[in-house]
Amino acid sequence: MDQGFRQWLTTVFRDRVKWDEPMSRHTTLGVGGPADALVAPETVSELRELIGRCRAQNIAFMVLAGGSNLLVRDRGIRGIVIDMKKYWQTIERHSDRGSGARLTVGAGLTLAALCRYAADNGLAGMTFAVGIPGTVGGAVAMNAGTAEGWMGDVVEAVEMVTGDGRRIRKEKQDLVFSYRRFAVRNDDTATPGPPVITGVDLGLGFDDSEALKAAAEERRRRRTATQPAGFRSAGCFFKNPEAGDPAGKLIDRAGLKGLAVGGAVVSEAHGNFLVNRGNATAGDLLALMETVQRRVADRFGVTLEPEVTIVGQ
Ligand SMILES: Cc1cc2nc3c(=O)[nH]c(=O)nc-3n(C[C@H](O)[C@H](O)[C@H](O)COP(=O)(O)OP(=O)(O)OC[C@H]3O[C@@H](n4cnc5c(N)ncnc54)[C@H](O)[C@@H]3O)c2cc1C
């Protein structure tokens, strides 16, 4: 990154650019080396300008939001990390149509805030997401969900800035959601960098607010009962195989619960949670991941793919 670009970032973003920022401060796993620059744009025009300049200077960029599905390697990230959590937190409710309500939601809004808003206002469809950390943008990018539903069920349209700096909007029929994956049909967002989601239209139904709050409470209770408490994690580390036992069950059956590498350990509470017991490095987590993959493959002939997004050097 040359001096001119650094100067431009400092002038435009002032205290919204952080240099050599440790990613361990921004990921729920609590590991990860420094990003050259963490930049928090506030408007679409700032975002477009930032992406355009990165492209012109051949500087890599990626998006960070809640950091709840990211494993950043120990030497960190070269280039720009765009912080999409700090701003972009609006909720706008449009006129109701027949059996549904339509919301336009900023990508940086937390899923928790969205779920709360929906339950408070008698809007049905978000209960599946209660207890999932992170932002709306991250949840769309990952098609986050549970056995009860995923983001693709409620998304009507997505607004993005493409990797070449264009502002685009894609309607439901152009969006493809599959297991932990989001893509655009006939993809004209395929550019040198990833598209950045700035806002999402959601279609929700109606229900009694008190019933929705009770359902949310029940979901929270179930999650607390089945997931490890008090340790840093990125949720389920591996995707479930297409057929057969889920990843957590395979890990459990292979006798790997409690297996540790340095500060990283396979949770005793849930085999698919690799947790940081306080002093883990990304290297510990990656070594543990590889050991789990090898042992599960040896025992069951199944290759576990990480669900967590692994980035950096
Ligand atoms: C305790 C715990 C429980 C969890 N439970 C679940 C669960 O039940 N179901 C589930 O699906 N997940 C679960 N997760 C994983 C995680 O919370 C979700 O994947 C979440 O949606 C990620 O959102 P985020 O904002 O944290 O994204 P990040 O982790 O910041 O980013 C994840 C990916 O999305 C991209 N991204 C983020 N924001 C944008 C954007 N605005 N535009 C373009 N790309 C973007 C990033 O570049 C990255 O590739 C859990 C995690 C934890 C820690």
Side-chain angles (χ1 to χ4, degrees), residues 55-118:
R55 191 161 183 240
Q57 305 246 347
N58 218 6
I59 293 170
F61 65 90
M62 63 156 284
V63 183
L64 165 95
S68 63
N69 201 54
L70 275 179
L71 171 48
V72 181
R73 293 190 180 90
D74 292 316
R75 288 179 48 229
I77 299 173
R78 302 292 72 80
I80 302 291
V81 175
I82 301 176
D83 179 350
M84 287 300 289
K85 175 185 72 217
K86 198 170 166 107
Y87 302 103
W88 315 90
Q89 294 176 0
T90 48
I91 302 184
E92 189 186 345
R93 182 168 178 176
H94 305 286
S95 317
D96 295 341
R97 302 182 197 157
S99 62
R102 189 148 172 150
L103 304 181
T104 299
V105 180
L109 189 76
T110 62
L111 266 189
L114 173 60
C115 291
R116 223 170 18 246
Y117 175 92

Side-chain angles (χ1 to χ4, degrees), residues 32-304:
D36 288 343
L38 176 68
V39 185
E42 218 173 332
T43 62
V44 168
S45 56
E46 274 187 357
L47 178 60
R48 291 183 64 195
E49 173 92 16
L50 175 62
I51 289 175
R53 287 191 182 237
C54 284
R55 191 161 183 240
Q57 305 246 347
N58 218 6
I59 293 170
F61 65 90
M62 63 156 284
V63 183
L64 165 95
S68 63
N69 201 54
L70 275 179
L71 171 48
V72 181
R73 293 190 180 90
D74 292 316
R75 288 179 48 229
I77 299 173
R78 302 292 72 80
I80 302 291
V81 175
I82 301 176
D83 179 350
M84 287 300 289
K85 175 185 72 217
K86 198 170 166 107
Y87 302 103
W88 315 90
Q89 294 176 0
T90 48
I91 302 184
E92 189 186 345
R93 182 168 178 176
H94 305 286
S95 317
D96 295 341
R97 302 182 197 157
S99 62
R102 189 148 172 150
L103 304 181
T104 299
V105 180
L109 189 76
T110 62
L111 266 189
L114 173 60
C115 291
R116 223 170 18 246
Y117 175 92
D120 285 349
N121 289 280
L123 300 178
M126 288 309 304
T127 307
F128 77 90
V130 170
I132 302 179
T135 63
V136 170
V140 171
M142 294 303 303
N143 190 18
T146 58
E148 279 94 59
W150 57 23
M151 281 309 284
D153 297 339
V154 290
V155 171
E156 295 290 332
V158 177
E159 295 203 349
M160 292 169 272
V161 173
T162 61
D164 56 2
R166 283 172 299 132
R167 181 182 193 173
I168 60 167
R169 177 185 169 88
K170 292 287 176 184
E171 302 295 329
K172 194 180 183 75
Q173 64 271 17
D174 293 321
L175 305 173
V176 187
F177 289 96
S178 54
Y179 183 46
R180 301 295 175 263
R181 189 161 176 273
F182 158 71
V184 175
R185 215 182 290 283
N186 303 324
D187 195 357
D188 60 358
T189 64
T191 50
V196 182
I197 298 164
T198 55
V200 181
D201 277 17
L202 302 172
L204 300 178
F206 300 118
D207 202 345
D208 173 61
S209 173
E210 292 310 313
L212 289 168
K213 286 182 194 165
E217 196 43 49
E218 171 57 17
R219 271 216 62 75
R220 239 175 256 118
R221 197 192 56 72
R222 259 192 292 152
R223 286 182 79 94
T224 313
T226 53
Q227 294 187 357
F231 291 106
R232 306 191 72 157
S233 78
C236 286
F237 199 95
F238 298 103
K239 292 180 182 168
N240 289 322
E242 279 177 18
D245 282 342
K249 185 111 184 262
L250 293 174
I251 293 166
D252 190 6
R253 285 179 58 207
L256 300 176
K257 278 183 169 176
L259 180 74
V261 175
V265 61
V266 179
S267 165
E268 295 279 1
H270 190 312
N272 202 6
F273 275 59
L274 306 194
V275 303
N276 175 358
R277 57 182 170 188
N279 56 346
T281 62
D284 293 341
L285 283 154
L286 290 166
L288 183 61
M289 172 189 88
E290 282 164 15
T291 306
V292 168
Q293 284 173 316
R294 196 174 53 249
R295 300 264 296 264
V296 167
D298 287 350
R299 177 84 190 269
F300 304 110
V302 174
T303 306
L304 292 179

Side-chain angles (χ1 to χ4, degrees), residues 10-44:
T10 306
T11 306
V12 172
F13 293 96
R14 297 167 181 269
D15 61 346
R16 291 181 289 130
V17 55
K18 293 196 170 101
W19 302 102
D20 299 318
E21 177 69 5
M23 289 293 96
S24 53
R25 291 187 189 154
H26 300 273
T27 54
T28 55
L29 273 167
V31 301
D36 288 343
L38 176 68
V39 185
E42 218 173 332
T43 62
V44 168

